[in-house]
Amino acid sequence: QEERVERITRMYTLVNDVSDLDATIKMNIRNRILEQIPNLKFQETEEKTVTSKGLLVTSKMLEIKKALLEHITKIEIPENSKEIGEAMAQGDLKENAEYKAAKEKQSQLNATGTRLQDEIDRSQIFDPSSVTVARVGFGNKVELTNTKTGATENYTILGPWESDPDKGIISYMSPLGNSIMNAKVGETLSFEINEVTYSFKIENIEVAKLDE
C-alpha cells in the first residue's frame, strides 16, 4: 500500500509540474486519485495550483459571457460612437452634456469589454465528469454545520461568473469558498473573514446539479 501511494504521489507531482497542462485535466486526475485513496495528502502548494490557475467556468456561462462581449463590441460600441459623433456635431464640447455622457459611456463600455475579454481568455471550461465527493471542490453541493450557532448551511461551489449568494451559490475564489476547498466530510474548519472568526463542520458533500 505504501509503495502504491508513493508511486501515485510521484506520478501526480510530475503531472502537476507540467505548467502548460489544462488545470481541469489536473483536477480530473487528482479527483480520480482521491476516489481510490481518499486520505491521500497532497502538498498544499499542489492543491492551490489545481484551483488557482485560470478561471474555472461552466460551458453555459462561457457562452453567455461570449454573447455579452459580442453584443458590446458589435452593437453597443458602434451605437456609442454614433452618439459621440452626433454630439460633436452640435459644437461647443465644453458645455455639451450629451457629448460628456457619451464619452463616459464609451469609457465604461471599453473597460467592460476589456475585462470580459481578459476573463474569457483565462477561462477554462469545467468538466462535470471530474466532480468527486472525496473533498470539497468546484461542482459540489456542500452541507455545513455552523459550530457556533448549530445552524445548517448549504452551498454550491462554482465560479465567480456563476456566483449567486442569495441562491446559495458561491465562488470557489470567494473567502468562504476558498476556505472550505479541499476539505473532507467530518472535518471542522476555523478561519477568519473580515476579522470575524467562523467555524464550520463539513457534514456532507455531493455532486451539484449543474444547469449546463
Side-chain angles (χ1 to χ4, degrees):
Q1 176 68 19
E2 290 183 3
E3 290 182 3
R4 179 169 176 251
V5 170
E6 182 180 348
R7 186 170 62 254
I8 290 175
T9 302
R10 186 165 57 250
M11 179 198 71
Y12 175 78
T13 301
L14 291 172
V15 171
N16 191 63
D17 285 341
V18 180
S19 59
D20 294 333
L21 187 62
D22 192 306
T24 54
I25 295 177
K26 294 181 181 180
M27 176 182 285
N28 201 354
I29 294 172
R30 179 175 177 276
N31 287 342
R32 291 294 176 262
I33 293 173
L34 286 173
E35 288 177 358
Q36 298 296 318
I37 312 175
N39 294 323
L40 183 63
K41 296 292 184 181
F42 290 94
Q43 292 183 8
E44 185 69 13
T45 54
E46 292 172 352
E47 291 184 346
K48 294 301 181 183
T49 300
V50 173
T51 58
S52 64
K53 285 188 176 180
L55 178 66
L56 285 176
V57 302
T58 57
S59 58
K60 178 181 179 180
M61 189 56 68
L62 178 58
E63 292 307 312
I64 290 174
K65 293 295 184 179
K66 284 182 176 179
L68 176 58
L69 178 60
E70 184 175 7
H71 187 268
I72 289 174
T73 57
K74 293 187 177 180
I75 297 178
E76 293 190 59
I77 288 180
E79 287 180 352
N80 173 249
S81 296
K82 183 179 179 182
E83 291 172 355
I84 292 175
E86 292 174 349
M88 290 179 67
Q90 297 176 19
D92 191 11
L93 299 183
K94 291 184 179 179
E95 302 298 326
N96 191 326
E98 287 80 4
Y99 174 76
K100 291 180 180 178
K103 288 296 289 184
E104 288 180 3
K105 185 176 181 181
Q106 181 186 55
S107 296
Q108 293 173 354
L109 287 172
N110 287 336
T112 301
T114 299
R115 175 178 54 79
L116 272 173
Q117 186 63 66
D118 176 64
E119 290 179 345
I120 289 172
D121 289 343
R122 291 190 299 115
S123 67
Q124 296 177 341
I125 297 178
F126 174 69
D127 177 8
S129 69
S130 69
V131 180
T132 177
V133 297
R135 293 176 184 254
V136 177
F138 193 108
N140 284 139
K141 183 176 181 180
V142 186
E143 180 183 324
L144 310 172
T145 294
N146 185 322
T147 61
K148 289 189 173 183
T149 65
T152 298
E153 301 181 22
N154 291 278
Y155 297 100
T156 295
I157 313 297
L158 294 177
W161 283 355
E162 296 86 4
S163 179
D164 189 346
D166 289 340
K167 294 182 179 180
I169 302 173
I170 62 174
S171 168
Y172 70 95
M173 299 173 70
S174 68
L176 176 57
N178 184 62
S179 295
I180 65 175
M181 285 291 284
N182 300 311
K184 298 184 298 182
V185 170
E187 282 192 50
T188 297
L189 309 171
S190 295
F191 47 85
E192 284 191 5
I193 298 177
N194 296 327
E195 298 184 354
V196 177
T197 301
Y198 295 87
S199 180
F200 290 101
K201 181 180 179 182
I202 310 295
E203 299 290 356
N204 186 53
I205 303 172
E206 59 185 67
V207 178
K209 294 180 180 179
L210 301 181
D211 183 15
E212 290 291 328

